[in-house]
Amino acid sequence: MKDLKRFLEEKVSLYNRPDFIEDDPISVPHRFAKKQDIEISGFFAATLAWGQRKTIINKSLELMAMMDNCPHDFLCHHTPSDLKPFLKFKHRTFNDLDTLYFIDFLSRHYRQHESLETAFTPGWTGEVDIMERLLGNFHELFFDAAHAPHRTRKHVATPKRKAACKRINMFLRWMVRKDDCGVDFGIWNRLSPAQLVCPCDLHVDRVGRSLGLIHRKATDWQTALELTRNLRKFDPEDPVKYDFALFGMGVMEKVTNKK
């Protein structure tokens, strides 16, 4: 355990640094300074985060350009005619209908709330294993409108469907984790790093299995919890920092599952 912790800490130090940003979707919110712009651009970038990272970044930047690179101002003040360009937006299975509903929800939310954090905290308590409830509540809130398209539900994962919720957990890592390394933003204060669940994508899953941190055959919500609980043994206050190590080894070092 001590050797594995030391090894993971070294990998965190290697990848949790500013030069990680450029080639990662987190580079999109790093183009903004205003809190709400960081939240909005980050939420879209995380939502679109499947496929090649370069494409994810380019499509996210395309979407921000359609909002005049002032997403918060756009969401709060756009007119119906301003939405016409979004009818041409598409990334993989995320299409114009999905884009317009995301804009609709975020517009309604920001006209009533200062931060997107309030959408993730209904039902919040200080207990560590709270994320399953919070993500379920967020999913219900996101689709509470009568006009919410059924097809768009697949783009906002929920533990209630046993999804690993990789993209939304990644977004929460960006917003919640606090350190001096310059990658994650740490602009939310109610949720704590201890409550986060590790984003479990294909790279993290593969490396986690090779290191004996994952034993479940499936890759689902329970797998993400298993990984996170094992990482808490190394740092109970900030287990998700090891996402840098696992993802970095999976993408940069091409570590494979040897089991």
Side-chain angles (χ1 to χ4, degrees):
M1 288 288 288
K2 289 182 179 179
D3 289 342
L4 181 54
K5 178 178 180 178
R6 187 181 306 112
F7 174 74
L8 290 174
E9 294 283 354
E10 290 173 355
K11 295 298 183 179
V12 172
S13 298
L14 178 62
Y15 294 113
N16 185 17
R17 55 178 61 190
D19 57 10
F20 175 87
I21 296 171
E22 182 179 359
D23 297 323
D24 191 80
I26 201 173
S27 64
V28 177
H30 268 287
R31 291 172 177 256
F32 299 91
K34 183 179 177 181
K35 177 181 180 179
Q36 291 84 357
D37 288 341
I38 292 170
E39 293 175 343
I40 296 162
S41 61
F43 187 66
F44 274 111
T47 299
L48 300 180
W50 79 100
Q52 294 185 342
R53 289 198 290 169
K54 183 177 181 180
T55 302
I56 294 164
I57 294 168
N58 288 340
K59 296 301 291 188
S60 300
L61 294 177
E62 176 186 337
L63 197 54
M64 293 302 102
M66 294 166 76
M67 298 182 191
D68 300 319
N69 289 310
C70 297
H72 183 242
D73 184 68
F74 179 88
L75 290 174
C76 293
H77 302 107
H78 70 269
T79 64
S81 63
D82 293 328
L83 297 175
K84 291 181 181 178
F86 296 93
L87 294 173
K88 298 180 180 180
F89 185 80
K90 179 179 175 61
H91 173 61
R92 297 175 75 95
T93 64
F94 191 89
N95 67 12
D96 56 336
L97 187 65
D98 306 315
T99 306
L100 291 173
Y101 185 72
F102 268 62
I103 291 173
D104 175 76
F105 170 81
L106 291 169
S107 297
R108 287 186 282 116
H109 180 82
Y110 279 107
R111 285 168 181 162
Q112 299 180 52
H113 303 277
E114 180 180 348
S115 170
L116 190 57
E117 183 177 15
T118 59
F120 284 91
T121 51
W124 179 89
T125 68
E127 63 185 288
V128 172
D129 288 314
I130 190 67
M131 199 54 66
E132 182 169 343
R133 183 192 310 168
L134 298 186
L135 293 188
N137 290 345
F138 174 75
H139 189 270
E140 291 180 6
L141 176 66
F142 196 89
F143 294 105
D144 67 350
H147 58 278
H150 186 268
R151 62 154 281 121
T152 305
R153 291 178 176 269
K154 66 184 177 182
H155 294 298
V156 180
T158 172
K160 293 182 179 180
R161 294 205 301 255
K162 300 183 180 180
C165 302
K166 181 268 293 189
R167 288 174 285 168
I168 205 160
N169 282 327
M170 180 176 69
F171 169 70
L172 292 175
R173 193 205 85 198
W174 296 352
M175 297 298 107
V176 174
R177 278 200 71 253
K178 304 177 190 297
D179 59 27
D180 298 322
C181 298
V183 182
D184 291 330
F185 294 92
I187 55 176
W188 289 2
N189 295 310
R190 193 170 194 190
L191 292 166
S192 76
Q195 294 176 312
L196 296 175
V197 171
C198 190
C200 195
D201 72 355
L202 121 89
H203 306 290
V204 170
D205 180 270
R206 185 176 69 246
V207 177
R209 292 180 189 280
S210 75
L211 296 175
L213 298 169
I214 297 173
H215 298 283
R216 284 178 57 81
K217 291 183 179 180
T219 300
D220 56 16
W221 179 250
Q222 291 303 319
T223 308
L225 292 183
E226 178 190 18
L227 173 61
T228 303
R229 287 166 182 160
N230 281 326
L231 295 176
R232 283 181 185 146
K233 297 173 183 176
F234 305 128
D235 189 339
E237 298 302 317
D238 189 15
V240 176
K241 72 180 182 184
Y242 297 111
D243 182 35
F244 285 103
L246 301 176
F247 181 81
M249 284 189 283
V251 174
M252 314 297 184
E253 302 175 30
K254 309 295 183 184
V255 172
T256 59
N257 183 7
K258 298 177 182 178
K259 292 189 174 183

